[in-house]
Amino acid sequence: MTEYAKINGKVVVITGGARGIGLATATRLQALGAKIAIGDIDETTVKQSGTDHDFDYYGALDVTDEQAFGAFLDEVERQLGPIDVLVNNAGIMPTGKLIDEPDALTRKIIDINIYGVIIGTKLALARMLPRSSGHIINIASLAGESHIPGLATYNATKHAVLGFTDTVREEYRGSGVELSSVLPTLTNTELGSGVTAPKVMRAAEPEEIAEAIAKLLVAPKAKVRVTAVAGAISQFFGLLPQSLADAIGRSMGSGEAFLGAVDADQRKAYEKRVRGSQ
């Protein structure tokens, strides 16, 4: 517990906090003494999660609406005090071939996964820079270091999150504000439902991502990959000639993991929720 003492009392905001990685992170940091505020587009679920776990603040949040996002952070600060940590976790991952992806869905993925992260980062920086302290953690993905058939637009957004976070981190180096990226492998949440991890790479549990975030708050660094094995494989593939890396990836099942190998029945509820009326 001593290792995590500096988390005690910190005001932490988590987007997409009603379920999955966001909720696991909220509960883990709450257990370490942080004051937790969660926001989520799903108003019903965020209220349920907030009351079930007795979080300090919770409410509906559309991360693509800059005015609403700013008002949400203002209310958190009014009730809990200055924000110490923002975890930009909200994101969606519809699967399927690009040609079958409606333009409106493409825009929705980009708006939530990239624009929402950019807005959150800007709003947090505006609050943290005058105090010369704070930590912004952007949830990317190992997909941001690779290319996976069936996830073209999602992959693009996670590449963008990594590039954005690295650039802003360097822009504000020495400011007292830390910026980090977290790169999970396929995780056992609703987002990953119906998908089987490629061979030799097990899926992560959301609690593992939460623990990685807790450790980042104790010892900040630019990136953390979860799991360690999946992260090592991703980095190794990056060193190989492209044709060889692609061939190995196909042999591990990556070519069909998010296409033909998806269990459509298991994934149906998630796809319906994130696609909405699209």
Side-chain angles (χ1 to χ4, degrees):
M1 186 68 174
T2 304
E3 176 188 1
Y4 298 106
K6 65 190 301 182
I7 295 175
N8 185 55
K10 285 189 179 295
V11 175
V12 180
V13 176
I14 303 169
T15 70
R19 51 168 63 83
I21 290 172
L23 181 58
T25 301
T27 55
R28 175 58 176 148
L29 297 183
Q30 180 188 54
L32 295 172
K35 299 176 183 178
I36 301 297
I38 62 169
D40 201 287
I41 192 79
D42 187 336
E43 188 171 0
T44 299
T45 304
V46 78
K47 286 181 178 178
Q48 187 67 54
S49 296
T51 54
D52 285 351
H53 296 276
D54 195 26
F55 293 139
D56 299 278
Y57 183 81
Y58 51 88
L61 173 61
D62 179 355
V63 297
T64 70
D65 184 334
E66 184 172 7
Q67 185 174 0
F69 205 155
F72 183 91
L73 297 183
D74 286 342
E75 186 61 21
V76 170
E77 294 204 318
R78 189 184 73 79
Q79 294 197 28
L80 307 183
I83 295 167
D84 297 296
V85 180
L86 172 65
V87 181
N88 281 312
N89 168 71
I92 60 173
M93 191 184 77
T95 61
K97 289 189 175 181
L98 180 64
I99 197 69
D100 299 323
E101 182 177 283
D103 291 345
L105 180 59
T106 300
R107 173 65 69 179
K108 185 176 183 179
I109 299 168
I110 291 170
D111 282 350
I112 295 172
N113 293 10
I114 303 177
Y115 186 52
V117 170
I118 292 173
I119 288 175
T121 299
K122 289 168 72 175
L123 291 170
L125 282 171
R127 290 161 172 77
M128 295 173 177
L129 287 171
R131 304 195 303 265
S132 299
S133 72
H135 199 155
I136 300 167
I137 297 175
N138 294 332
I139 306 302
S141 169
L142 286 178
E145 295 185 323
S146 60
H147 46 278
I148 305 170
L151 296 179
T153 303
Y154 176 82
N155 268 30
T157 64
K158 294 306 182 178
H159 278 265
V161 168
L162 289 176
F164 170 76
T165 307
D166 280 343
T167 303
V168 178
R169 174 175 51 79
E170 190 63 19
E171 278 187 17
Y172 294 99
R173 182 181 180 185
S175 68
V177 179
E178 302 283 351
L179 284 106
S180 305
S181 300
V182 176
L183 290 71
T185 187
L186 178 67
T187 305
N188 283 324
T189 64
E190 189 189 21
L191 180 145
S193 59
V195 179
T196 302
K199 299 171 185 175
V200 313
M201 291 172 60
R202 69 171 179 83
E205 298 299 329
E207 291 77 16
E208 293 179 271
I209 318 302
E211 186 63 19
I213 291 171
K215 289 180 177 178
L216 270 181
L217 296 181
V218 174
K221 57 183 179 179
K223 291 183 181 72
V224 62
R225 298 170 178 85
V226 187
T227 64
V229 170
I233 291 173
S234 175
Q235 289 180 286
F236 174 67
F237 273 27
L239 300 175
L240 297 175
Q242 193 65 66
S243 59
L244 178 58
D246 288 349
I248 295 174
R250 288 191 295 271
S251 73
M252 293 171 62
S254 65
E256 289 297 316
F258 292 86
L259 289 173
V262 172
D263 186 323
D265 288 337
Q266 286 188 20
R267 194 161 179 80
K268 184 177 180 179
Y270 175 77
E271 292 283 343
K272 182 178 180 180
R273 180 169 65 81
V274 298
R275 288 171 184 260
S277 60
Q278 308 305 331

